[in-house]
């Protein structure tokens, strides 16, 4: 199986640790992905650790996955309280503009996602409070999931970067119906590259912690798309989606699934406009007859109901 970029499925499914370098447990940039805009790094810091980097041609958001940190840039210092894990709450975050020097320090240590997008405009560095993150419930029944729209278009201002978190209770399907955003069609569809980064909640048994799995499907969306992936994803894995119908993202029973979506593309308008797969779009009509999964939200947060997208 190959992707629209000519990459094999094994290159589009980035296994945990396979791109580790220096303090980064995961390092995906446009050169590694074979595209033009989207980046993701997962930074691991020991207690008292510091990491300095230059933002270069990209704008970045520093998002705690576990632990808290201090982000210093552009003469500003942002204290990020973070969270114990991605399953324990919404996190605050910091936005860093392109062409900036950045320092990330963590007194107690932790793991931090750096979501990036190549861009041309320069916005000011600023803090995003957890209390300002809209939390949305999408779908119903076994298609129920939770979306933390911390850097969605229309929620947080940036030049090209769009990023959200999705939490799916064990046994449910996310990114369903399958959808795509690989063509520029004004007011209908955006052209966006996308990275899915996964964390899977383990099952706690008397014998110890049992790691979980999930599954991610991507299929060709037309003559110009050959991306074809069916990946068994584990904690720390990522899937690159240059084009194609993506979904479902399937959480194995007993193992809640988290994924971080990072998107960017060439469009002049920063927008997330999607097209549902015509064979599966009917599922939305069934949602009105089913309740939202009572396990949601997975942690206490103000929520709204919706039925669009991922």
């Amino acid at each position: 199986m190959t992707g629209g970029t000519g990459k094999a499925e094994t290159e589009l499914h980035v296994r945990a640790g396979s791109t580790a370098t220096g303090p980064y447990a995961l390092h995906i940039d446009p050169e590694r992905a074979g595209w033009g805009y989207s980046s993701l790094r997962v930074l691991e810091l020991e207690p008292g650790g510091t990491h300095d980097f230059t933002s270069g041609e990209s704008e970045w958001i520093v998002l705690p996955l576990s632990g808290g940190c201090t982000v210093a840039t552009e003469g500003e210092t942002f204290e990020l309280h973070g969270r114990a894990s991605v399953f324990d709450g919404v996190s605050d975050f910091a936005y860093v503009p392109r062409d900036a020097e950045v320092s990330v320090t963590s007194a107690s240590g932790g793991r931090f996602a750096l979501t990036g997008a190549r861009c041309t405009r320069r916005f000011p560095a600023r803090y995003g409070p957890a209390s300002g993150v809209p939390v949305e419930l999408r779908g119903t029944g076994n298609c129920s999931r939770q979306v933390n729209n911390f850097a969605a278009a229309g929620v947080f201002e940036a030049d090209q970067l769009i990023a959200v978190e999705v939490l799916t209770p064990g046994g449910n399907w996310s990114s369903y119906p399958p959808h795509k955003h690989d063509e520029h069609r004004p007011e209908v569809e955006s052209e966006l590259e996308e990275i899915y980064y996964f964390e899977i909640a383990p099952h706690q048994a008397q014998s110890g912690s049992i790691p979980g799995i999930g599954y991610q499907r991507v299929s060709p969306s037309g003559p110009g798309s050959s991306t074809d992936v069916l990946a068994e994803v584990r904690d720390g894995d990522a899937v690159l989606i240059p084009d194609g119908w993506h979904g479902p993202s399937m959480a194995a029973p007993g193992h809640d699934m988290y994924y971080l979506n990072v998107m960017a593309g060439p469009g002049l308008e920063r927008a997330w406009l999607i097209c549902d797969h015509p064979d599966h779009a009917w599922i939305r009509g069934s949602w009105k007859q089913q309740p939202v999964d009572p396990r949601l939200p997975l942690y206490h947060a103000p929520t709204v109901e919706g039925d669009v997208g991922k």
Side-chain angles (χ1 to χ4, degrees):
M1 298 181 184
T2 60
T5 58
K7 289 182 176 292
E9 179 178 3
T10 53
E11 294 178 275
L12 296 172
H13 177 196
V14 181
R15 298 184 184 277
S18 63
T19 62
T21 177
Y24 295 121
L26 177 79
H27 190 288
I28 297 169
D29 57 17
E31 289 73 25
R32 163 66 177 80
W35 57 35
Y37 297 90
S38 299
S39 296
L40 176 63
R41 305 172 187 173
V42 175
L43 172 66
E44 295 186 340
L45 292 178
E46 297 292 332
T50 297
H51 177 63
D52 300 329
F53 70 97
T54 301
S55 61
E57 298 178 312
S58 296
E59 58 188 346
W60 298 87
I61 284 178
V62 180
L63 175 75
L65 299 172
S66 63
C69 66
T70 301
V71 178
T73 186
E74 299 283 281
E76 301 273 4
T77 300
F78 307 110
E79 297 290 342
L80 304 187
H81 300 289
R83 53 192 166 182
S85 81
V86 296
F87 299 103
D88 288 310
V90 176
S91 181
D92 49 0
F93 59 94
Y95 173 87
V96 175
R98 60 167 291 163
D99 301 317
E101 299 296 326
V102 189
S103 181
V104 182
T105 302
S106 179
S108 57
R111 301 173 66 253
F112 310 96
L114 277 57
T115 66
R118 280 183 176 156
C119 63
T120 55
R121 293 186 295 169
R122 201 169 191 272
F123 289 85
R126 59 201 188 276
Y127 173 75
S131 61
V133 175
V135 176
E136 176 185 0
L137 303 187
R138 293 183 182 167
T140 63
N142 63 357
C143 289
S144 302
R145 61 272 202 183
Q146 173 180 331
V147 186
N148 302 336
N149 289 298
F150 71 96
V155 171
F156 186 83
E157 189 176 37
D159 187 18
Q160 296 289 352
L161 177 63
I162 298 173
V164 302
E165 300 178 300
V166 181
L167 295 109
T168 308
N172 285 9
W173 283 23
S174 284
S175 282
Y176 201 76
H179 59 281
K180 74 181 186 77
H181 40 68
D182 56 16
E183 296 181 83
H184 174 62
R185 296 189 291 158
E187 300 183 10
V188 175
E189 184 178 350
S190 308
E191 183 180 354
L192 297 168
E193 311 152 349
E194 185 160 19
I195 302 168
Y196 275 53
Y197 165 74
F198 295 90
E199 295 199 5
I200 311 294
H203 172 66
Q204 302 300 330
Q206 288 186 345
S207 58
S209 180
I210 301 173
I213 59 173
Y215 295 88
Q216 176 66 47
R217 180 71 172 118
V218 189
S219 57
S221 57
S225 168
S226 57
T227 301
D228 198 344
V229 176
L230 176 56
E232 181 177 284
V233 292
R234 298 177 181 272
D235 199 61
D237 285 6
V239 172
L240 309 181
I241 304 175
D243 53 55
W245 303 108
H246 39 291
S249 304
M250 297 167 275
H255 297 278
D256 296 337
M257 170 190 281
Y258 163 95
Y259 53 86
L260 171 63
N261 291 136
V262 182
M263 293 166 275
L268 297 178
E269 179 187 9
R270 177 174 171 257
W272 183 68
L273 301 175
I274 66 166
C275 175
D276 283 341
H277 194 300
D279 291 346
H280 304 287
W282 64 267
I283 193 68
R284 295 190 188 278
S286 71
W287 290 349
K288 294 180 181 180
Q289 287 75 51
Q290 302 177 67
V292 173
D293 191 315
R295 292 174 292 178
L296 291 173
L298 285 179
Y299 42 75
H300 179 71
T303 61
V304 295
E305 292 189 6
D307 67 355
V308 297
K310 294 205 179 302

